[in-house]
Amino acid sequence: MKAFLKKILLKVFGYGKYIQIYSFIKYRKPKVLRLDIAATCNAQCPMCPREHMEKSRLVGKMPLDQIKKILIDGKKFGFQTLKVYITSEPTVHPDFNFIMKFSKQLGYINHVSTNASLIPRALEGLKYVDNLQISVEGWDKESYEKFRYPLNFDKVYNNLKILNQNIDKKNQNRYIHLPMTKNTDLRKFLKLWGEFVNFIKVDYMQPANLFSKGIMKSEYNPKIKDEYYNFTRKEKDFACFDPFAEIVVAYDGKIMLCCLDFNAKYNLGNINDGFEEILNNRFRKTMKKQFYNQKLSTCRDCSMFYVPSKEVLQNTYFLINQINKEKISDAKLLFRYIQ
């Protein structure tokens, strides 16, 4: 019903007006606070935008007192969900367990993404997580360690067993977001990782976003260039609700445009400005108008607007349906693109 209604509204109003109406109704105030509690990551994934980040932003952590203040102020502002991940591995923060418990005590819905390399020390905190995204690629040891270098496959696999033993996945919305390449073996992937999650969201591995001369640019990593699907950049019908639905805070307090803005270079303010001032930031308002008018400049080359061919989409859709029918795992493959 929702999809049908959306099609009607898009046909009547067009994308720009639809975004304006929808965001006014649903996101008059952002409901999601996305917080980068650390800048450090213990993986060097070839598809990650960290490949293009300034070295000065690759290490560091947000002080616990500042995190507590942000969470308290955020609850007063009206945030419902806390997402603890952007540019790094959140479980590297020494106070991760306390942060998750404190957030839950304040009433947040906790959402965490982890590469699962530090699960044993993060178990206490993970018990307070409602939505847990496990970030793994690869359908065997070799492919996993290629995409999650220098993490160790055996260690991570065993960590996920520990997670299952301590936190029942039925009591947690636990899933994998899989950015698929031309070489991804979906059957083997599901068989390998399915026991640890409730479902696997299948997408395509896209080029990384980087900041260049005031705009977002997409760039492929030459090390894995042949593994990306061929994409066409959209030239119309741009839809993204990130600037409306979330306020994104970097580890050093800078406000980021979205979860793909790894460089935090836009003039969006600082957490010390307060949420009301951040919400009314001039650049944020300009960004929203670009979507209303469908005249994008800042985000026009964002990888989110890179789409594969209809043939690729169709083939993936049918493959996923076929694999799900085979009942390889109790976890299901879900496709991001609706056919």
Side-chain angles (χ1 to χ4, degrees):
M1 183 63 185
K2 286 183 179 179
F4 177 73
L5 182 60
K6 179 182 176 181
K7 284 183 180 179
I8 298 258
L9 292 173
L10 285 172
K11 189 173 182 179
V12 173
F13 296 110
Y15 270 78
K17 194 66 177 177
Y18 169 77
I19 289 171
Q20 191 170 7
I21 294 169
Y22 186 84
S23 60
F24 178 78
I25 295 170
K26 191 167 184 179
Y27 302 124
R28 198 174 304 184
K29 257 191 171 184
K31 297 179 181 179
V32 176
L33 171 61
R34 194 185 286 261
L35 191 60
D36 223 6
I37 60 176
T40 306
C41 188
N42 56 352
Q44 300 169 36
C45 308
M47 65 286 186
C48 183
R50 287 180 66 87
E51 290 267 316
H52 308 284
M53 285 174 66
E54 295 175 356
K55 289 184 179 180
S56 61
R57 298 193 64 77
L58 293 175
V59 293
K61 64 181 176 67
M62 183 176 283
L64 180 59
D65 286 346
Q66 185 177 23
I67 293 171
K68 290 168 67 177
K69 184 179 186 308
I70 291 171
L71 293 180
I72 291 169
D73 291 347
K75 208 63 193 151
K76 292 176 182 176
F77 179 76
F79 289 118
Q80 297 174 6
T81 299
L82 173 68
K83 292 187 177 182
V84 183
Y85 62 96
I86 310 171
T87 70
S88 63
E89 170 54 42
T91 60
V92 302
H93 197 291
D95 298 305
F96 173 81
N97 291 335
F98 176 86
I99 293 164
M100 290 297 96
K101 182 178 181 180
F102 184 75
S103 171
K104 179 53 65 179
Q105 288 173 337
L106 289 174
Y108 283 96
I109 299 168
N110 286 335
H111 192 158
V112 169
S113 178
T114 177
N115 60 31
S117 63
L118 301 172
I119 278 178
R121 78 180 221 181
L123 267 176
E124 285 306 308
L126 293 173
K127 291 176 181 177
Y128 298 98
V129 173
D130 303 282
N131 302 298
L132 181 61
Q133 175 176 298
I134 307 295
S135 296
V136 291
E137 286 79 29
W139 48 95
D140 55 24
K141 179 179 174 67
E142 181 183 0
S143 55
Y144 170 83
E145 292 184 351
K146 173 183 177 180
F147 286 109
R148 286 284 160 178
Y149 176 83
L151 302 183
N152 179 274
F153 170 82
D154 296 311
K155 180 181 177 182
V156 167
Y157 196 82
N158 187 59
N159 283 350
L160 290 173
K161 287 184 177 181
I162 293 171
L163 178 65
N164 267 9
Q165 290 164 4
N166 286 271
I167 306 173
D168 192 332
K169 68 177 183 179
K170 293 178 182 177
N171 299 327
Q172 192 173 59
N173 184 34
R174 192 181 304 163
Y175 65 96
I176 293 170
H177 178 200
L178 171 63
M180 188 172 70
T181 72
K182 290 178 182 177
N183 298 330
T184 300
D185 190 319
L186 280 179
R187 280 187 178 85
K188 287 184 177 179
F189 189 94
L190 179 59
K191 188 175 181 179
L192 180 64
W193 303 109
E195 66 177 292
F196 303 119
V197 295
N198 300 310
F199 59 93
I200 297 169
K201 294 198 298 186
V202 181
D203 201 347
Y204 298 101
M205 189 172 289
Q206 296 166 310
N209 289 314
L210 61 145
F211 180 88
S212 177
K213 298 179 181 178
I215 61 173
M216 195 84 80
K217 296 289 291 182
S218 293
E219 187 167 306
Y220 295 92
N221 187 330
K223 296 175 186 176
I224 54 171
K225 181 68 168 71
D226 294 337
E227 299 193 43
Y228 294 99
Y229 280 90
N230 295 320
F231 295 103
T232 301
R233 192 180 75 177
K234 293 184 73 171
E235 297 297 334
K236 63 175 184 176
D237 298 339
F238 301 104
C240 177
F241 288 98
D242 284 2
F244 307 88
E246 302 183 347
I247 286 181
V248 186
V249 187
Y251 78 99
D252 56 357
K254 289 184 178 180
I255 303 303
M256 306 161 82
L257 180 59
C258 66
C259 64
L260 296 177
D261 176 21
F262 274 43
N263 294 282
K265 289 280 190 179
Y266 299 105
N267 187 22
L268 288 159
N270 189 284
I271 191 61
N272 294 327
D273 300 335
F275 288 116
E276 289 292 347
E277 189 168 330
I278 291 167
L279 185 61
N280 291 296
N281 175 272
R282 183 179 295 180
F283 186 80
R284 181 179 290 272
K285 288 184 174 181
T286 299
M287 277 303 312
K288 291 178 179 180
K289 285 180 181 178
Q290 288 183 25
F291 280 101
Y292 296 156
N293 300 329
Q294 289 291 285
K295 294 179 180 178
L296 265 62
S297 56
T298 306
C299 300
R300 192 176 185 86
D301 196 50
C302 175
S303 62
M304 291 300 295
F305 301 129
Y306 279 52
V307 293
S309 67
K310 288 184 178 179
E311 181 183 2
V312 168
L313 288 169
Q314 219 169 33
N315 289 341
T316 307
Y317 176 75
F318 287 124
L319 176 61
I320 286 174
N321 281 344
Q322 178 59 44
I323 294 173
N324 282 334
K325 287 176 183 177
E326 294 169 10
K327 297 182 179 179
I328 296 170
S329 166
D330 62 345
K332 296 293 183 184
L333 297 174
L334 304 179
F335 194 31
R336 173 192 166 192
Y337 297 85
I338 299 172
Q339 298 299 297

